[in-house]
Amino acid sequence: MKVLLVEDELKLGEYIKKGLTEAGFIVDHHLTGLDGYHALMTEEFSVILMDVMLPDVSGFELVRNYRAAGKQTPVLFLTAKDDLSDKIKGIEIGGDDYLTKPFAFAELIVRIKSLLRRANQADYQSTILQIADLKMDIAKRTVYRGGKPIKLTAKEFSLLQFLLERRGEVLPRTVIASQVWDVNFDNDTNVIDVAIRRLRIKIDDDHEAKLIHTVRGMGYRLEALATEVQSDADGDDSK
């Protein structure tokens, strides 16, 4: 699940991003309202964390325009102001929740999960992704293959979730990097290859039917194939 964070306090923004990333979210952090608004209108997010007092434009104004454009993604306002009138204003202009700084990170997580449940139960509470005998429960953060549990790191879980959500598609390394790591890796880096190799060890090595396939010169694909030829080398084509 992807979160948009619009927060001009750099240290606080980095703290929130780090914590949410470790919790399995992909976080897109912007320091100004205009940059955040551009992301709002051009990308899809599961939830939006919006600071109210931004250096260039009010978070209230951004969300008002966002709602006027017909967008319905849940918005959680973050602010140092604890006035009841501000809380009411935030809800009236289209916000879904209001969290006053400073706050405990555990409370932020609870608020995000609550928004996701209210917005779409399938986004958090009951989402099951499955292909062949591989099953992922996003809400419970569990993965099974052939009925046996598989322990994954937070990043491996996010990588597998992305592959499952886009199963059957050929995914270039640059796309995987931007969506799972939220960065643009150089073409010659092997970060993605190493991550895929480690995931294969846990997902495929003990099973005759392989699910993660390499498409030479293009990227990777998660797919259950009736007939396949694949070596352990990442450079081989899948058939």
Side-chain angles (χ1 to χ4, degrees):
M1 285 167 280
K2 193 169 183 178
V3 175
L4 174 64
L5 170 63
V6 185
E7 170 58 65
D8 67 315
E9 295 182 41
L10 182 59
K11 289 186 177 180
L12 176 59
E14 290 178 342
Y15 167 74
I16 294 174
K17 180 174 181 176
K18 182 176 184 294
L20 291 180
T21 299
E22 291 175 352
F25 294 92
I26 298 170
V27 183
D28 186 6
H29 177 209
H30 293 279
L31 295 169
T32 68
L34 292 179
D35 287 343
Y37 189 68
H38 177 73
L40 278 174
M41 302 306 293
T42 59
E43 301 180 45
E44 295 294 328
F45 298 94
S46 298
V47 67
I48 297 161
L49 307 181
M50 178 67 68
D51 186 18
V52 173
M53 301 177 66
L54 295 166
D56 51 351
V57 60
S58 166
F60 285 157
E61 187 65 25
L62 293 180
V63 172
R64 179 184 289 109
N65 293 336
Y66 182 67
R67 292 296 189 229
K71 305 290 188 177
Q72 299 300 320
T73 302
V75 174
L76 170 60
F77 282 117
L78 306 175
T79 182
K81 301 178 69 175
D82 194 26
D83 295 340
L84 178 59
S85 60
D86 283 327
K87 293 182 179 180
I88 294 174
K89 180 179 179 180
I91 300 302
E92 286 181 340
I93 61 96
D96 297 276
D97 202 352
Y98 198 102
L99 189 57
T100 304
K101 304 174 186 176
F103 51 80
F105 186 77
E107 182 178 4
L108 176 63
I109 289 290
V110 169
R111 298 289 188 98
I112 290 174
K113 291 179 178 178
S114 177
L115 288 177
L116 290 172
R117 284 196 296 270
R118 278 188 276 163
N120 186 349
Q121 293 290 330
D123 273 353
Y124 180 79
Q125 195 174 44
S126 306
T127 298
I128 304 294
L129 299 176
Q130 187 165 0
I131 184 171
D133 59 346
L134 176 67
K135 181 178 181 181
M136 168 182 281
D137 188 321
I138 296 175
K140 295 180 180 179
R141 308 289 293 177
T142 58
V143 175
Y144 289 83
R145 181 152 192 204
K148 296 181 179 180
I150 298 173
K151 292 185 178 181
L152 301 178
T153 65
K155 189 58 65 178
E156 289 168 347
F157 191 94
S158 296
L159 175 57
L160 180 59
Q161 180 180 340
F162 181 61
L163 293 174
L164 279 164
E165 289 173 343
R166 303 283 291 271
R167 53 190 175 275
E169 298 182 35
V170 177
L171 301 170
R173 291 168 176 81
T174 54
V175 171
I176 296 174
S178 65
Q179 294 299 311
V180 179
W181 276 263
D182 196 26
V183 297
N184 294 316
F185 289 131
D186 295 333
N187 291 332
D188 60 350
T189 198
N190 67 347
V191 171
I192 303 301
D193 296 333
V194 170
I196 290 287
R197 189 178 301 120
R198 289 175 177 171
L199 188 60
R200 273 178 169 156
I201 290 173
K202 296 183 178 183
I203 297 299
D204 279 342
D205 274 12
D206 293 334
H207 299 270
E208 182 178 354
K210 310 304 181 185
L211 298 177
I212 302 174
H213 308 278
T214 302
V215 181
R216 185 186 295 275
M218 298 181 67
Y220 296 99
R221 178 180 65 222
L222 184 73
E223 189 173 14
L225 301 178
T227 304
E228 58 197 358
V229 177
Q230 178 179 331
S231 76
D232 291 336
D234 283 339
D236 288 348
D237 293 303
S238 63
K239 304 295 184 180

